[in-house]
Amino acid sequence: MKNSDVAICELMENKMNEVILKINQTHDIFADKLHNEFGILDWIFYQVCKDERKNA
């Protein structure tokens, strides 16, 4: 990464939360599938970034 001061985990978490919020506001079957997939990605993301959170 060019700028090591950027907290990538925090940035990605904010973007994931925005996407999940938009999906939650949509009421169709595809949104439900996307919500499940993003829930799994969010869990994986948390596992990868939890060490960064501990050091913050």
Side-chain angles (χ1 to χ4, degrees):
M1 237 171 120
K2 290 182 181 180
N3 185 356
S4 61
D5 294 334
V6 174
I8 191 69
C9 286
E10 184 178 345
L11 180 66
M12 289 299 295
E13 181 180 18
N14 290 338
K15 292 297 180 183
M16 290 281 288
N17 288 337
E18 287 177 24
V19 170
I20 289 172
L21 182 63
K22 286 183 188 240
I23 289 172
N24 286 340
Q25 293 171 347
T26 306
H27 300 290
D28 75 19
I29 194 163
F30 298 113
D32 290 340
K33 276 189 88 87
L34 278 174
H35 183 268
N36 290 338
E37 296 297 322
F38 269 97
I40 293 168
L41 282 173
D42 191 42
W43 181 82
I44 292 169
F45 180 71
Y46 172 79
Q47 297 301 318
V48 169
C49 290
K50 67 183 175 183
D51 289 335
E52 182 177 301
R53 292 174 192 229
K54 287 180 187 176
N55 296 333

